[in-house]
Every structure is written in C-alpha cells, then in structure tokens.
Amino acid sequence: MPNILTINKLKNAKRVVILTGAGISAESGVPTFRGEDGLWRNYNPHELATPEAFERDPRLVWEWYNWRREIIHPLEPNKGHRFIAELERNTSCFTLITQNVDGLHQKGGSKNCVELHGNIWRVRCVKEGRVFGLLDLPLKDIPPLCGCGSILRPDVVWFGESLDPEVMSKAYNAVRDCDFMMVIGTSAVVQPAGSLPLIAKENGAYVVEINIEKTPISGIVDESLIGKAGEILGKLYHEIQGH
Ligand code: APR
C-alpha cells in the first residue's frame, strides 16, 4: 500500500508524468520481454527486433509481429490502464509515456500517450516513410506491401534504432517539468526510457515505482511499491477518491 506521503503528493500534484513498461499490460495477458516467460527468453531479439533482421528476413520478422498482434488483439486493458486514463482526466497537466507498443493504454481511455517505441498496429513504408494503421488480423500478405509496391515495416523502434526526436523531446520536457512521476512495470534497463525517472528526480519531482520486483532505479525513487500494478493502482485510486 502506498504511504501517506505518496498519496498526498499525488493528490496535490500539478504536473504528473506516468512512465509504463510491459508490466502494466502483464495482467491483461500480454507477455513481457524479460520475465520468466518473457519474449526474450523464447525468442532472440537480434533475429526479430533489429533492422538487420528485417533486412535479412522480413517474412520471419513479420510472422513474429503477426503472432504478437493476434495474441494482443482480443486482450482488454486492466485496472492499471483504466486508473491511468482516469488520472489523466482528473489532472490538468498530465503526460503518459509508454514503452509499450500494444495500444492498450488507448483502448483503456488514455488520450495523450507518448509512445517511445511506436505502435504494433501501425506500419511504415520503407520507401516513402508514410505511416498508417494496419489492423488486418491475420495480415493478408506477409510481408505486407504499400500501395507504391514497397514493403511495409512495423512502426516500432527496433534495437539499434534511434527514437523519434520529437517523441523524445516531449518525454524529456515532461519529466523535467513534472512534480510527480510514477514508473510502472518496467525493468528500466532499456535507454533512453530508463533514464527518465532519474531526470525527473534531478529536477525535483517526487518519484514512485510500482513493480513486482526491485529494479535498478528502486534505490533512487522516493517510494518503491512492490506488487502487481493493477492491484496497487486499484487501491491508490480508492485512496485518492477518499473512500
Ligand atoms: N505489475 C507490475 N510490474 C510487473 C508486472 C505486474 N503485474 N508483471 C511484470 N512486471 C515488471 C517486471 O518485474 C519487469 O520489471 O515489469 C517489468 C517488465 O520488464 P521488461 O519485460 O523488460 O519490459 P520493459 O521494461 O517494458 O522493456 C523495455 O525493452 O525489449 C524492449 O522495446 C522493448 O519496450 C520494451 C523495452
């Protein structure tokens, strides 16, 4: 249960930032990356989530993303996603930054979502750079082709690729300016996302972590809450609603 200081800090916060990772979607049934049954335990990221892998075998990479899309599609947002969307509605200055590509924050009602690593429901033409939604399940063609005849890639950030500078600028500005930050369900080992809580802390924010285990940032946050995000956020919601 969050301590009274955390609850009061959240109740009085004026500029809130939430950073999420795969752990926020775990209770919806979305596999995480580094957990016991994480994707990187069963698949080699270097064979599936790099530009070189896509160059080498776009069909294999797309078969893996098609499989992930089919897993994610029927899944619903959980209490954690819905709490974050409710918090956004009740906070005048609010930024959600997510590393997730599953789209469950938007499905759970979040409006202003900074997607650091892109979105599995969007594609990008490798020739024109055009980005658009592609919701076919399963994909009609693997790999899918653009109208211009070129191949389409998932609109996600792969290992070794840089993040969109505009997206990063939004994230950096938000964490530098916030007075309260919650870091939920991330192993905090992938950069630049892993450094965002440190920047918030350096700029005077009160930072809370929610995770089922300790992470490399647990020692620097103001409160590290160990437990499932959906459960903790559900309790926190009732606390700040005053009942
Ligand atoms: N509630 C809270 N935290 C949870 C839960 C839960 N129910 N289940 C798992 N976690 C925590 C795990 O303890 C772990 O710290 O969520 C974290 C998930 O870590 P990762 O699997 O490493 O996912 P993430 O931190 O989002 O990875 C960052 O790495 O592979 C890339 O691009 C990929 O965006 C991803 C990035």
Side-chain angles (χ1 to χ4, degrees):
M1 192 51 208
N3 67 38
I4 191 69
L5 177 59
T6 292
I7 292 165
N8 287 336
K9 286 281 187 184
L10 178 53
K11 276 183 177 172
N12 300 311
K14 298 281 178 288
R15 298 174 308 286
V16 173
V17 168
I18 307 276
L19 170 66
T20 62
I24 189 79
S25 294
E27 290 156 83
S28 294
V30 181
T32 61
F33 292 95
R34 295 170 183 83
E36 280 314 300
D37 53 354
L39 289 172
W40 299 148
R41 286 258 190 277
N42 304 308
Y43 296 95
N44 179 345
H46 300 291
E47 284 174 10
L48 296 166
T50 63
E52 296 74 16
F54 190 70
E55 181 76 30
R56 187 172 56 244
D57 190 346
R59 180 174 186 77
L60 174 68
V61 172
W62 263 114
E63 279 170 355
W64 187 62
Y65 277 93
N66 189 50
W67 169 75
R68 286 180 65 194
R69 286 159 53 110
E70 289 193 326
I71 287 180
I72 291 167
H73 182 258
L75 302 180
E76 288 300 321
N78 61 59
K79 280 186 290 187
H81 295 107
R82 298 198 191 285
F83 168 84
I84 291 168
E86 181 68 16
L87 194 59
E88 176 181 18
R89 285 189 285 272
N90 299 328
T91 309
S92 52
C93 182
F94 179 93
T95 305
L96 167 60
I97 303 168
T98 188
Q99 299 170 88
N100 300 342
V101 298
D102 58 31
L104 285 181
H105 279 301
Q106 293 91 331
K107 204 171 175 183
S110 288
K111 301 284 179 247
N112 169 19
C113 187
V114 177
E115 294 179 306
L116 293 182
H117 298 162
N119 188 302
I120 203 167
W121 301 108
R122 287 195 305 264
V123 289
R124 186 166 80 233
C125 174
V126 297
K127 184 177 167 206
E128 300 165 326
R130 197 161 60 91
V131 174
F132 52 94
L134 180 65
L135 305 180
D136 300 348
L137 264 179
L139 289 168
K140 294 187 181 67
D141 304 303
I142 292 188
L145 298 180
C146 178
C148 75
S150 301
I151 197 168
L152 293 168
R153 58 163 283 173
D155 186 34
V156 298
V157 179
W158 282 324
F159 291 104
E161 292 187 314
S162 50
L163 279 66
D164 179 326
E166 265 183 52
V167 168
M168 277 321 299
S169 162
K170 269 189 201 167
Y172 284 133
N173 291 340
V175 295
R176 283 194 194 103
D177 182 46
C178 72
D179 55 6
F180 185 95
M181 180 174 187
M182 230 175 333
V183 185
I184 308 170
T186 182
S187 55
V189 294
V190 170
Q191 298 305 337
S195 306
L196 295 176
L198 312 181
I199 296 169
K201 193 85 190 93
E202 282 161 8
N203 284 270
Y206 185 88
V207 183
V208 179
E209 179 187 39
I210 299 175
N211 201 306
I212 54 172
E213 59 189 12
K214 291 291 183 193
T215 72
I217 64 165
S218 300
I220 65 109
V221 297
D222 294 280
E223 186 175 19
S224 167
L225 295 164
I226 300 296
K228 289 188 174 183
E231 290 171 13
I232 292 179
L233 291 172
K235 287 181 193 147
L236 193 52
Y237 177 76
H238 290 299
E239 280 297 324
I240 59 175
Q241 294 300 315
H243 45 66

